[in-house]
Structures are given as C-alpha cells and as structure tokens.
Amino acid sequence: MRVKICGITQPQQSVAIASLGATALGFICVPTSPRYVTTMQIQAAVAHLPKNIDKIGVFANASIAEISQIVSRTELTGVQLHGDESPEFCSELHQALPQVEIIKALRIRNIEHLQQAIIYTQYIDTLLLDAYHPQQLGGTGQTLDWQMLQKFHPSCPWLLAGGLTPDNILEALSQLQPDGIDLSSGVEIKPGDKDLDKVALLFEKLGN
C-alpha cells in the first residue's frame, strides 16, 4: 500500500520520512497554504531522496504552463490537483506531462460528490478523496465518512486522505481498502513541521 506524507517543507525531514517507510512525499505548490514551498525548497528536499520515492507536487487552479515549469525544474514524478480542475483540464495536463502521475483530489461531502469522482477516473492515474471543508483545500484534520466509501470501487487506484492519524489509521483500514493513504496534519507538530515520532508510530501501526 502506498503511504504518502504530504506538506513536507524541510529537506532533512523528507529524507527521514522516506527512510521510515513513506513511498511518496507531497510538496505544496499553493502560495496561500501554510505548507507552501518554493521550487528551490522542493529541489533541496528531493536532492537526497531514493529514486523509488514518488515526489508529488500539489497544485490548486494553476495553469498547465505553470505546473509544467515547476515539474521540469524539480523532477517531480507526480502532480496532485487540489482545486476546481475539470476532467478536461486533467486530460490536457496528462497529454502535456505524459510521464507524470496525475492525481485528482476531491473533497467528498456526500454520495453526489462520489459520483462526480467517478467521472474523473478516465482522465487521471489516481484519485485522492479528502474531507470536505468550505474554506480549506486540505490539511484540515477532518475525517471523511468512511462508511459512505465502503461501496466505492473506482476503476483507477485511489488514496484515502482527510484527518488520518496513527491513532485512527487501523480503524479506517478495517473499513476500507484504499490503494494508499495520505497524511499531513495527523503527523505534524505545526503546519509544515512533521513529528517524526508520529510518522514512526504510523509505520509501526501499519506493520512496516
């Protein structure tokens, strides 16, 4: 199972988190986010990572040109779209960056939102389901209604996000079978500053 730790801001933490067992690290390329990192910060954070670690840039309503430029400068292996991007936009981005994993994050509030998610599956590589919040795009610490997701079986791989912590991860995984999980605020001291003890506890719980 993929384990993505998102909102990395410090180079030394990226290496430590990868060594603890993370398979993917997320870097926030949204200037309004408290976890925002510049191109140079991403370059520093990925410089000493093993080649098999996925390096995901998180964007919200950015242009294809802007995303492509950051990807080329930082050697990101994936792009996570966390804004209001349409299926058509996802398709165009996929064509522009054919070697890069395209992840569409959707904030799920009800069954209708889940049905909307299905529309995206033919245009992307991976879905990410996050908790709905009217103002914030992610990292809110709020959990999804896991019961609502029990019958959710999309045609592409999907990641579970939204309020996951070392304390509730086994409960979540006892109800759902996602292809991966995504944690940010659940393993933090404060936004962008990860708690390595919590990250270690997470992998202990997962049995890694």
Side-chain angles (χ1 to χ4, degrees):
M1 187 178 65
R2 295 180 78 181
V3 181
K4 175 169 168 273
I5 305 296
C6 205
I8 306 288
T9 60
Q10 301 174 33
Q12 69 276 20
Q13 288 193 347
S14 72
V15 174
I17 289 167
S19 67
L20 284 168
T23 62
L25 300 181
F27 302 95
I28 310 298
C29 304
V30 182
T32 54
S33 169
R35 300 175 182 88
Y36 171 68
V37 281
T38 63
T39 302
M40 287 180 68
Q41 284 174 295
I42 298 173
Q43 288 170 337
V46 304
H48 302 292
L49 286 176
K51 288 278 181 252
N52 63 338
I53 301 292
D54 296 327
K55 299 168 279 287
I56 314 291
V58 180
F59 297 84
N61 304 322
S63 68
I64 289 176
E66 185 185 340
I67 294 170
S68 300
Q69 188 178 49
I70 292 174
V71 167
S72 67
R73 287 180 180 173
T74 56
E75 296 180 28
L76 291 172
T77 60
V79 168
Q80 180 175 315
L81 302 171
H82 229 296
D84 305 311
E85 298 88 4
S86 66
E88 293 75 23
F89 180 90
C90 295
S91 178
E92 288 171 25
L93 183 63
H94 214 303
Q95 289 167 12
L97 298 171
Q99 306 303 319
V100 173
E101 179 186 14
I102 307 297
I103 303 169
K104 179 66 180 110
L106 294 163
R107 291 168 286 161
I108 304 298
R109 184 165 52 173
N110 51 39
I111 293 292
E112 286 72 34
H113 284 184
L114 268 187
Q115 290 164 346
Q116 182 81 22
I118 297 295
I119 298 168
Y120 281 89
T121 55
Q122 58 189 311
Y123 303 103
I124 59 173
D125 299 298
T126 309
L127 264 178
L128 183 146
L129 302 186
D130 202 351
Y132 179 83
H133 189 283
Q135 281 87 37
Q136 289 173 256
L137 293 175
T140 64
Q142 294 180 328
T143 55
L144 274 154
D145 177 357
W146 297 330
Q147 204 168 355
M148 180 173 67
L149 297 179
Q150 285 177 350
K151 293 186 174 68
F152 184 67
H153 303 292
S155 58
C156 70
W158 70 282
L159 307 178
L160 177 67
L164 298 176
T165 71
D167 295 329
N168 68 15
I169 192 63
L170 293 183
E171 185 189 347
L173 295 177
S174 72
Q175 296 185 39
L176 303 169
Q177 287 81 45
D179 298 283
I181 53 175
D182 184 300
L183 291 86
S184 182
S185 60
V187 287
E188 276 183 336
I189 298 164
K190 62 179 189 289
D193 185 8
K194 301 304 175 193
D195 185 328
L196 295 180
D197 290 337
K198 284 186 179 177
V199 177
L201 179 59
L202 171 73
F203 287 105
E204 204 179 297
K205 292 278 184 79
L206 292 172
N208 285 21

